[in-house]
Amino acid sequence: MSTSKSSKMERWIILFVVALVGGIITKLPYIKDSYYSALTTAMGITNTQFAFLLTAYGIMNTIVYIPGGFLADRFSPKLLVVISCFGTGLAGIWYSFLPPYPYLVAIHAAFGITTVFTFWAAMVKITNNLGSGDEQGKMFGLLEGGRGLIGTLVALGSVWVFERFANEVMGVRGIIMYYSIAMMVAGVLSIIFIKDPAKIGTVEDDGTKQKWSDFKIVMKIPRVWLCGIVVACNYTAVILFGYITPYLTEVYGLSNSGAAVLGIFRSYVLMFAASMLAGAIADKMKSVIRFWCYGYVGMAVFSFVYLLIPANRSLLWIVVINFILHGMFLLAVKALYFAPIDEMYIDKKLAGTASGIISIVGYAPEMFAYTLAGSLMDNNPGVKGFNMIFIATGIFSIIGIIGVIILKKSNDSYGKMLAEKHQ
């Protein structure tokens, strides 16, 4: 692919704005990650009621992943991103008034529409179309790393806003309004800088809209569903990886402040570094699927290493090193969930539909992984419970290895068939 210097700069600007939107847009539905206690107090609801808000959001997400892919392939991805920004911002402004509980449920369901249905596949499609087939690792690595970095900076800004208010209720309203305004600003930047794929000059587009028959073709491609299963194995392992923090405090005596630092390091620094490296290495290897083979092997190896380290406080540093190495492999694979779309011979015009299928299968572990971890810990108290989690992480990593090998063989066979067909 050859592009002028100006068009290359244009691509990076578009990618930055998309990463900016992606880094902010889920802050409102997941605001509990930083302000759980303050939120429950401000809204006057129970833990169970709060959990149902997230359930409502999760259910809506599951329902709209595939239709959202259809939407992104049928309509302007730029328009969908703009609608997502202003829709999320408006829902957030309503949220900031802390209305009665039934309305809070409706708001979280609405977040499912604006952050997934109109946004998720559109984000994937724009990113996919910003680069050629051999640049997908770099593009999605930069997207994921950028989302993490921007999300961190915006979250730090919310702390400053929260501390400006005299009480928790006003502080909560302030940070919700802060995120809502941030979404509006992101919407304005999207209007100014984002362009639809056909107008960027990096892809060919005959201007025709996709038909329902095109989408049915994608939904019948086994490689796309298999890719979703492979993603689900990693996503399950990523969820279980979150239990490393209590493991370090309860088994190795790490202080709560030390655990908090490692938690921030895992969520932001490690994610950014892993995303950047993953994109560069995958493009160097000229195959995201091949990169995944090595990634899943690393995931499996370092999952089981935890079992070999004695529960001795003096060995904490070894566990932390393993934590970093394990996290690098886990998050490197996570950064490239949608990067293989081109490699699987999916037309760029149908990248939205493909991402919808991968998403609904890949993110399905949210419905069982947390329950699995809780059950393992409750039924196996202490070190044994954590070891069971590491074993489960290793098992899912091994299943991922098998899935990637099957995906690679299937993809290679299809590529060979296409080559023979065009001879």
Side-chain angles (χ1 to χ4, degrees), residues 216-255:
K216 289 194 291 185
I217 289 172
V218 178
M219 294 181 73
K220 291 179 181 179
I221 298 174
R223 299 185 307 285
V224 177
W225 293 93
L226 184 55
C227 183
I229 293 171
V230 170
V231 166
C233 290
N234 175 264
Y235 194 58
T236 303
V238 169
I239 289 173
L240 297 179
F241 183 61
Y243 289 86
I244 294 291
T245 302
Y247 172 68
L248 293 173
T249 55
E250 294 179 25
V251 177
Y252 288 90
L254 181 66
S255 66

mmCIF file of all heavy atoms in Angstrom, residues 216-255:
data_model
loop_
_atom_site.group_PDB
_atom_site.id
_atom_site.type_symbol
_atom_site.label_atom_id
_atom_site.label_comp_id
_atom_site.label_asym_id
_atom_site.label_seq_id
_atom_site.Cartn_x
_atom_site.Cartn_y
_atom_site.Cartn_z
ATOM 1 N N LYS A 216 -24.836 -12.948 5.703
ATOM 2 C CA LYS A 216 -25.067 -14.376 5.938
ATOM 3 C C LYS A 216 -23.850 -15.194 5.540
ATOM 4 O O LYS A 216 -23.528 -16.195 6.176
ATOM 5 C CB LYS A 216 -26.315 -14.845 5.170
ATOM 6 C CG LYS A 216 -27.620 -14.327 5.749
ATOM 7 C CD LYS A 216 -28.832 -15.066 5.191
ATOM 8 C CE LYS A 216 -29.047 -14.747 3.735
ATOM 9 N NZ LYS A 216 -30.295 -15.370 3.212
ATOM 10 N N ILE A 217 -23.148 -14.734 4.502
ATOM 11 C CA ILE A 217 -21.931 -15.420 4.070
ATOM 12 C C ILE A 217 -20.887 -15.381 5.181
ATOM 13 O O ILE A 217 -20.262 -16.392 5.512
ATOM 14 C CB ILE A 217 -21.373 -14.771 2.783
ATOM 15 C CG1 ILE A 217 -22.290 -15.087 1.590
ATOM 16 C CG2 ILE A 217 -19.952 -15.253 2.509
ATOM 17 C CD1 ILE A 217 -21.932 -14.335 0.326
ATOM 18 N N VAL A 218 -20.687 -14.197 5.791
ATOM 19 C CA VAL A 218 -19.706 -14.065 6.874
ATOM 20 C C VAL A 218 -20.095 -14.932 8.062
ATOM 21 O O VAL A 218 -19.248 -15.591 8.668
ATOM 22 C CB VAL A 218 -19.580 -12.590 7.317
ATOM 23 C CG1 VAL A 218 -18.585 -12.468 8.478
ATOM 24 C CG2 VAL A 218 -19.122 -11.725 6.159
ATOM 25 N N MET A 219 -21.371 -14.954 8.390
ATOM 26 C CA MET A 219 -21.830 -15.715 9.554
ATOM 27 C C MET A 219 -21.682 -17.221 9.344
ATOM 28 O O MET A 219 -21.695 -17.992 10.309
ATOM 29 C CB MET A 219 -23.284 -15.354 9.876
ATOM 30 C CG MET A 219 -23.449 -13.913 10.343
ATOM 31 S SD MET A 219 -25.146 -13.479 10.759
ATOM 32 C CE MET A 219 -25.360 -14.359 12.301
ATOM 33 N N LYS A 220 -21.511 -17.633 8.092
ATOM 34 C CA LYS A 220 -21.343 -19.061 7.794
ATOM 35 C C LYS A 220 -19.869 -19.470 7.677
ATOM 36 O O LYS A 220 -19.570 -20.626 7.390
ATOM 37 C CB LYS A 220 -22.075 -19.407 6.498
ATOM 38 C CG LYS A 220 -23.596 -19.351 6.610
ATOM 39 C CD LYS A 220 -24.257 -19.676 5.270
ATOM 40 C CE LYS A 220 -25.770 -19.603 5.370
ATOM 41 N NZ LYS A 220 -26.416 -19.884 4.060
ATOM 42 N N ILE A 221 -18.959 -18.517 7.910
ATOM 43 C CA ILE A 221 -17.525 -18.825 7.805
ATOM 44 C C ILE A 221 -17.029 -19.396 9.128
ATOM 45 O O ILE A 221 -16.975 -18.676 10.131
ATOM 46 C CB ILE A 221 -16.704 -17.568 7.436
ATOM 47 C CG1 ILE A 221 -17.143 -17.028 6.067
ATOM 48 C CG2 ILE A 221 -15.211 -17.888 7.425
ATOM 49 C CD1 ILE A 221 -16.484 -15.704 5.684
ATOM 50 N N PRO A 222 -16.652 -20.659 9.180
ATOM 51 C CA PRO A 222 -16.220 -21.279 10.442
ATOM 52 C C PRO A 222 -15.010 -20.583 11.063
ATOM 53 O O PRO A 222 -14.891 -20.538 12.294
ATOM 54 C CB PRO A 222 -15.870 -22.719 10.031
ATOM 55 C CG PRO A 222 -16.624 -22.956 8.758
ATOM 56 C CD PRO A 222 -16.656 -21.634 8.075
ATOM 57 N N ARG A 223 -14.120 -20.036 10.241
ATOM 58 C CA ARG A 223 -12.902 -19.410 10.759
ATOM 59 C C ARG A 223 -13.229 -18.220 11.662
ATOM 60 O O ARG A 223 -12.529 -17.969 12.645
ATOM 61 C CB ARG A 223 -11.993 -18.950 9.608
ATOM 62 C CG ARG A 223 -11.516 -20.069 8.703
ATOM 63 C CD ARG A 223 -10.524 -19.572 7.662
ATOM 64 N NE ARG A 223 -10.989 -18.430 6.880
ATOM 65 C CZ ARG A 223 -11.888 -18.504 5.907
ATOM 66 N NH1 ARG A 223 -12.427 -19.670 5.576
ATOM 67 N NH2 ARG A 223 -12.248 -17.419 5.237
ATOM 68 N N VAL A 224 -14.293 -17.484 11.346
ATOM 69 C CA VAL A 224 -14.665 -16.320 12.149
ATOM 70 C C VAL A 224 -15.144 -16.773 13.531
ATOM 71 O O VAL A 224 -14.753 -16.210 14.561
ATOM 72 C CB VAL A 224 -15.755 -15.493 11.439
ATOM 73 C CG1 VAL A 224 -16.187 -14.318 12.305
ATOM 74 C CG2 VAL A 224 -15.240 -14.984 10.097
ATOM 75 N N TRP A 225 -15.984 -17.804 13.570
ATOM 76 C CA TRP A 225 -16.485 -18.326 14.853
ATOM 77 C C TRP A 225 -15.345 -18.950 15.649
ATOM 78 O O TRP A 225 -15.278 -18.809 16.872
ATOM 79 C CB TRP A 225 -17.594 -19.350 14.599
ATOM 80 C CG TRP A 225 -18.826 -18.732 14.013
ATOM 81 C CD1 TRP A 225 -19.144 -18.612 12.691
ATOM 82 C CD2 TRP A 225 -19.889 -18.105 14.736
ATOM 83 N NE1 TRP A 225 -20.342 -17.962 12.543
ATOM 84 C CE2 TRP A 225 -20.831 -17.648 13.773
ATOM 85 C CE3 TRP A 225 -20.157 -17.899 16.090
ATOM 86 C CZ2 TRP A 225 -21.997 -16.988 14.137
ATOM 87 C CZ3 TRP A 225 -21.327 -17.240 16.454
ATOM 88 C CH2 TRP A 225 -22.230 -16.792 15.486
ATOM 89 N N LEU A 226 -14.427 -19.628 14.950
ATOM 90 C CA LEU A 226 -13.283 -20.234 15.626
ATOM 91 C C LEU A 226 -12.389 -19.157 16.231
ATOM 92 O O LEU A 226 -11.873 -19.309 17.339
ATOM 93 C CB LEU A 226 -12.490 -21.088 14.636
ATOM 94 C CG LEU A 226 -11.290 -21.874 15.194
ATOM 95 C CD1 LEU A 226 -11.721 -22.762 16.351
ATOM 96 C CD2 LEU A 226 -10.658 -22.708 14.090
ATOM 97 N N CYS A 227 -12.237 -18.059 15.513
ATOM 98 C CA CYS A 227 -11.472 -16.932 16.045
ATOM 99 C C CYS A 227 -12.128 -16.417 17.328
ATOM 100 O O CYS A 227 -11.438 -16.091 18.306
ATOM 101 C CB CYS A 227 -11.389 -15.809 15.009
ATOM 102 S SG CYS A 227 -10.396 -14.393 15.518
ATOM 103 N N GLY A 228 -13.452 -16.377 17.346
ATOM 104 C CA GLY A 228 -14.180 -15.962 18.548
ATOM 105 C C GLY A 228 -13.905 -16.884 19.726
ATOM 106 O O GLY A 228 -13.740 -16.428 20.867
ATOM 107 N N ILE A 229 -13.837 -18.191 19.462
ATOM 108 C CA ILE A 229 -13.550 -19.163 20.524
ATOM 109 C C ILE A 229 -12.136 -18.958 21.065
ATOM 110 O O ILE A 229 -11.902 -19.010 22.284
ATOM 111 C CB ILE A 229 -13.731 -20.603 19.992
ATOM 112 C CG1 ILE A 229 -15.208 -20.862 19.670
ATOM 113 C CG2 ILE A 229 -13.212 -21.625 20.999
ATOM 114 C CD1 ILE A 229 -15.466 -22.170 18.953
ATOM 115 N N VAL A 230 -11.193 -18.722 20.159
ATOM 116 C CA VAL A 230 -9.809 -18.465 20.575
ATOM 117 C C VAL A 230 -9.745 -17.215 21.451
ATOM 118 O O VAL A 230 -9.073 -17.192 22.489
ATOM 119 C CB VAL A 230 -8.891 -18.309 19.334
ATOM 120 C CG1 VAL A 230 -7.510 -17.810 19.745
ATOM 121 C CG2 VAL A 230 -8.780 -19.639 18.593
ATOM 122 N N VAL A 231 -10.458 -16.169 21.039
ATOM 123 C CA VAL A 231 -10.508 -14.934 21.820
ATOM 124 C C VAL A 231 -11.118 -15.209 23.198
ATOM 125 O O VAL A 231 -10.643 -14.697 24.217
ATOM 126 C CB VAL A 231 -11.324 -13.856 21.068
ATOM 127 C CG1 VAL A 231 -11.686 -12.697 22.000
ATOM 128 C CG2 VAL A 231 -10.528 -13.335 19.878
ATOM 129 N N ALA A 232 -12.171 -16.032 23.246
ATOM 130 C CA ALA A 232 -12.832 -16.342 24.519
ATOM 131 C C ALA A 232 -11.871 -17.020 25.495
ATOM 132 O O ALA A 232 -11.934 -16.773 26.712
ATOM 133 C CB ALA A 232 -14.048 -17.235 24.272
ATOM 134 N N CYS A 233 -10.976 -17.853 24.986
ATOM 135 C CA CYS A 233 -9.990 -18.519 25.855
ATOM 136 C C CYS A 233 -9.070 -17.487 26.500
ATOM 137 O O CYS A 233 -8.771 -17.556 27.695
ATOM 138 C CB CYS A 233 -9.163 -19.520 25.047
ATOM 139 S SG CYS A 233 -10.084 -20.974 24.518
ATOM 140 N N ASN A 234 -8.635 -16.519 25.713
ATOM 141 C CA ASN A 234 -7.773 -15.472 26.263
ATOM 142 C C ASN A 234 -8.545 -14.586 27.232
ATOM 143 O O ASN A 234 -8.040 -14.238 28.313
ATOM 144 C CB ASN A 234 -7.183 -14.621 25.143
ATOM 145 C CG ASN A 234 -6.384 -13.442 25.674
ATOM 146 O OD1 ASN A 234 -6.895 -12.317 25.791
ATOM 147 N ND2 ASN A 234 -5.127 -13.680 26.026
ATOM 148 N N TYR A 235 -9.771 -14.217 26.863
ATOM 149 C CA TYR A 235 -10.538 -13.299 27.709
ATOM 150 C C TYR A 235 -10.850 -13.937 29.065
ATOM 151 O O TYR A 235 -10.831 -13.255 30.095
ATOM 152 C CB TYR A 235 -11.828 -12.884 27.005
ATOM 153 C CG TYR A 235 -12.498 -11.687 27.649
ATOM 154 C CD1 TYR A 235 -11.810 -10.479 27.765
ATOM 155 C CD2 TYR A 235 -13.792 -11.766 28.138
ATOM 156 C CE1 TYR A 235 -12.408 -9.382 28.358
ATOM 157 C CE2 TYR A 235 -14.403 -10.669 28.726
ATOM 158 C CZ TYR A 235 -13.711 -9.477 28.841
ATOM 159 O OH TYR A 235 -14.298 -8.396 29.432
ATOM 160 N N THR A 236 -11.110 -15.235 29.066
ATOM 161 C CA THR A 236 -11.318 -15.942 30.333
ATOM 162 C C THR A 236 -10.056 -15.871 31.183
ATOM 163 O O THR A 236 -10.106 -15.589 32.387
ATOM 164 C CB THR A 236 -11.674 -17.418 30.079
ATOM 165 O OG1 THR A 236 -12.827 -17.488 29.241
ATOM 166 C CG2 THR A 236 -11.973 -18.135 31.395
ATOM 167 N N ALA A 237 -8.906 -16.116 30.549
ATOM 168 C CA ALA A 237 -7.626 -16.070 31.269
ATOM 169 C C ALA A 237 -7.341 -14.664 31.790
ATOM 170 O O ALA A 237 -6.801 -14.500 32.894
ATOM 171 C CB ALA A 237 -6.501 -16.543 30.354
ATOM 172 N N VAL A 238 -7.713 -13.641 31.015
ATOM 173 C CA VAL A 238 -7.504 -12.255 31.452
ATOM 174 C C VAL A 238 -8.350 -11.955 32.690
ATOM 175 O O VAL A 238 -7.889 -11.311 33.639
ATOM 176 C CB VAL A 238 -7.844 -11.275 30.311
ATOM 177 C CG1 VAL A 238 -7.905 -9.832 30.833
ATOM 178 C CG2 VAL A 238 -6.807 -11.365 29.197
ATOM 179 N N ILE A 239 -9.601 -12.419 32.689
ATOM 180 C CA ILE A 239 -10.470 -12.209 33.849
ATOM 181 C C ILE A 239 -9.881 -12.892 35.086
ATOM 182 O O ILE A 239 -9.801 -12.304 36.171
ATOM 183 C CB ILE A 239 -11.890 -12.752 33.566
ATOM 184 C CG1 ILE A 239 -12.598 -11.857 32.543
ATOM 185 C CG2 ILE A 239 -12.715 -12.819 34.862
ATOM 186 C CD1 ILE A 239 -13.937 -12.390 32.075
ATOM 187 N N LEU A 240 -9.432 -14.126 34.932
ATOM 188 C CA LEU A 240 -8.854 -14.863 36.054
ATOM 189 C C LEU A 240 -7.539 -14.233 36.510
ATOM 190 O O LEU A 240 -7.182 -14.296 37.692
ATOM 191 C CB LEU A 240 -8.630 -16.323 35.651
ATOM 192 C CG LEU A 240 -9.900 -17.119 35.309
ATOM 193 C CD1 LEU A 240 -9.543 -18.549 34.905
ATOM 194 C CD2 LEU A 240 -10.868 -17.143 36.485
ATOM 195 N N PHE A 241 -6.823 -13.607 35.591
ATOM 196 C CA PHE A 241 -5.559 -12.936 35.914
ATOM 197 C C PHE A 241 -5.772 -11.820 36.938
ATOM 198 O O PHE A 241 -4.875 -11.474 37.704
ATOM 199 C CB PHE A 241 -4.947 -12.376 34.622
ATOM 200 C CG PHE A 241 -3.608 -11.707 34.792
ATOM 201 C CD1 PHE A 241 -2.512 -12.415 35.271
ATOM 202 C CD2 PHE A 241 -3.436 -10.363 34.448
ATOM 203 C CE1 PHE A 241 -1.271 -11.801 35.399
ATOM 204 C CE2 PHE A 241 -2.203 -9.748 34.582
ATOM 205 C CZ PHE A 241 -1.115 -10.464 35.062
ATOM 206 N N GLY A 242 -6.986 -11.264 36.962
ATOM 207 C CA GLY A 242 -7.299 -10.200 37.907
ATOM 208 C C GLY A 242 -7.229 -10.645 39.356
ATOM 209 O O GLY A 242 -7.143 -9.816 40.272
ATOM 210 N N TYR A 243 -7.257 -11.966 39.596
ATOM 211 C CA TYR A 243 -7.221 -12.479 40.973
ATOM 212 C C TYR A 243 -5.797 -12.609 41.504
ATOM 213 O O TYR A 243 -5.589 -13.091 42.620
ATOM 214 C CB TYR A 243 -7.953 -13.820 41.054
ATOM 215 C CG TYR A 243 -9.452 -13.651 40.905
ATOM 216 C CD1 TYR A 243 -10.043 -13.619 39.631
ATOM 217 C CD2 TYR A 243 -10.270 -13.474 42.002
ATOM 218 C CE1 TYR A 243 -11.402 -13.423 39.473
ATOM 219 C CE2 TYR A 243 -11.638 -13.283 41.864
ATOM 220 C CZ TYR A 243 -12.193 -13.258 40.594
ATOM 221 O OH TYR A 243 -13.540 -13.050 40.459
ATOM 222 N N ILE A 244 -4.815 -12.163 40.714
ATOM 223 C CA ILE A 244 -3.426 -12.164 41.177
ATOM 224 C C ILE A 244 -3.252 -11.212 42.354
ATOM 225 O O ILE A 244 -2.492 -11.481 43.289
ATOM 226 C CB ILE A 244 -2.473 -11.738 40.032
ATOM 227 C CG1 ILE A 244 -2.473 -12.774 38.918
ATOM 228 C CG2 ILE A 244 -1.063 -11.540 40.556
ATOM 229 C CD1 ILE A 244 -1.831 -14.075 39.297
ATOM 230 N N THR A 245 -3.970 -10.086 42.331
ATOM 231 C CA THR A 245 -3.809 -9.087 43.398
ATOM 232 C C THR A 245 -4.137 -9.656 44.778
ATOM 233 O O THR A 245 -3.303 -9.571 45.688
ATOM 234 C CB THR A 245 -4.666 -7.842 43.106
ATOM 235 O OG1 THR A 245 -4.287 -7.307 41.833
ATOM 236 C CG2 THR A 245 -4.442 -6.786 44.177
ATOM 237 N N PRO A 246 -5.311 -10.260 44.996
ATOM 238 C CA PRO A 246 -5.564 -10.858 46.320
ATOM 239 C C PRO A 246 -4.619 -12.011 46.631
ATOM 240 O O PRO A 246 -4.296 -12.262 47.798
ATOM 241 C CB PRO A 246 -7.024 -11.328 46.229
ATOM 242 C CG PRO A 246 -7.331 -11.412 44.773
ATOM 243 C CD PRO A 246 -6.507 -10.352 44.129
ATOM 244 N N TYR A 247 -4.153 -12.718 45.609
ATOM 245 C CA TYR A 247 -3.193 -13.805 45.809
ATOM 246 C C TYR A 247 -1.903 -13.267 46.421
ATOM 247 O O TYR A 247 -1.348 -13.836 47.365
ATOM 248 C CB TYR A 247 -2.906 -14.465 44.457
ATOM 249 C CG TYR A 247 -1.798 -15.494 44.451
ATOM 250 C CD1 TYR A 247 -1.937 -16.716 45.118
ATOM 251 C CD2 TYR A 247 -0.614 -15.256 43.751
ATOM 252 C CE1 TYR A 247 -0.922 -17.665 45.093
ATOM 253 C CE2 TYR A 247 0.401 -16.202 43.711
ATOM 254 C CZ TYR A 247 0.237 -17.402 44.388
ATOM 255 O OH TYR A 247 1.249 -18.334 44.363
ATOM 256 N N LEU A 248 -1.425 -12.142 45.920
ATOM 257 C CA LEU A 248 -0.188 -11.554 46.428
ATOM 258 C C LEU A 248 -0.344 -11.030 47.854
ATOM 259 O O LEU A 248 0.579 -11.114 48.665
ATOM 260 C CB LEU A 248 0.266 -10.424 45.505
ATOM 261 C CG LEU A 248 0.722 -10.848 44.104
ATOM 262 C CD1 LEU A 248 0.979 -9.625 43.227
ATOM 263 C CD2 LEU A 248 1.979 -11.699 44.187
ATOM 264 N N THR A 249 -1.521 -10.497 48.172
ATOM 265 C CA THR A 249 -1.721 -9.960 49.520
ATOM 266 C C THR A 249 -1.980 -11.067 50.545
ATOM 267 O O THR A 249 -1.435 -11.045 51.643
ATOM 268 C CB THR A 249 -2.908 -8.976 49.547
ATOM 269 O OG1 THR A 249 -4.081 -9.611 49.033
ATOM 270 C CG2 THR A 249 -2.600 -7.748 48.708
ATOM 271 N N GLU A 250 -2.786 -12.052 50.176
ATOM 272 C CA GLU A 250 -3.171 -13.091 51.129
ATOM 273 C C GLU A 250 -2.117 -14.179 51.301
ATOM 274 O O GLU A 250 -1.940 -14.713 52.393
ATOM 275 C CB GLU A 250 -4.500 -13.732 50.692
ATOM 276 C CG GLU A 250 -5.686 -12.772 50.745
ATOM 277 C CD GLU A 250 -6.975 -13.424 50.280
ATOM 278 O OE1 GLU A 250 -7.085 -14.674 50.376
ATOM 279 O OE2 GLU A 250 -7.870 -12.693 49.810
ATOM 280 N N VAL A 251 -1.400 -14.506 50.234
ATOM 281 C CA VAL A 251 -0.445 -15.614 50.296
ATOM 282 C C VAL A 251 0.982 -15.125 50.541
ATOM 283 O O VAL A 251 1.744 -15.742 51.292
ATOM 284 C CB VAL A 251 -0.499 -16.454 48.998
ATOM 285 C CG1 VAL A 251 0.541 -17.566 49.027
ATOM 286 C CG2 VAL A 251 -1.899 -17.035 48.811
ATOM 287 N N TYR A 252 1.346 -13.978 49.939
ATOM 288 C CA TYR A 252 2.726 -13.505 50.046
ATOM 289 C C TYR A 252 2.889 -12.250 50.898
ATOM 290 O O TYR A 252 3.972 -11.705 51.010
ATOM 291 C CB TYR A 252 3.312 -13.274 48.646
ATOM 292 C CG TYR A 252 3.590 -14.576 47.925
ATOM 293 C CD1 TYR A 252 2.614 -15.164 47.137
ATOM 294 C CD2 TYR A 252 4.800 -15.251 48.077
ATOM 295 C CE1 TYR A 252 2.838 -16.377 46.494
ATOM 296 C CE2 TYR A 252 5.041 -16.460 47.445
ATOM 297 C CZ TYR A 252 4.053 -17.015 46.658
ATOM 298 O OH TYR A 252 4.282 -18.219 46.034
ATOM 299 N N GLY A 253 1.787 -11.800 51.499
ATOM 300 C CA GLY A 253 1.865 -10.692 52.440
ATOM 301 C C GLY A 253 2.164 -9.337 51.837
ATOM 302 O O GLY A 253 2.649 -8.437 52.534
ATOM 303 N N LEU A 254 1.875 -9.153 50.569
ATOM 304 C CA LEU A 254 2.081 -7.850 49.951
ATOM 305 C C LEU A 254 1.102 -6.851 50.562
ATOM 306 O O LEU A 254 -0.060 -7.177 50.811
ATOM 307 C CB LEU A 254 1.858 -7.937 48.435
ATOM 308 C CG LEU A 254 2.060 -6.651 47.622
ATOM 309 C CD1 LEU A 254 3.523 -6.220 47.659
ATOM 310 C CD2 LEU A 254 1.598 -6.851 46.184
ATOM 311 N N SER A 255 1.568 -5.637 50.833
ATOM 312 C CA SER A 255 0.702 -4.616 51.430
ATOM 313 C C SER A 255 -0.398 -4.206 50.454
ATOM 314 O O SER A 255 -0.274 -4.385 49.240
ATOM 315 C CB SER A 255 1.524 -3.385 51.807
ATOM 316 O OG SER A 255 2.036 -2.755 50.646
#
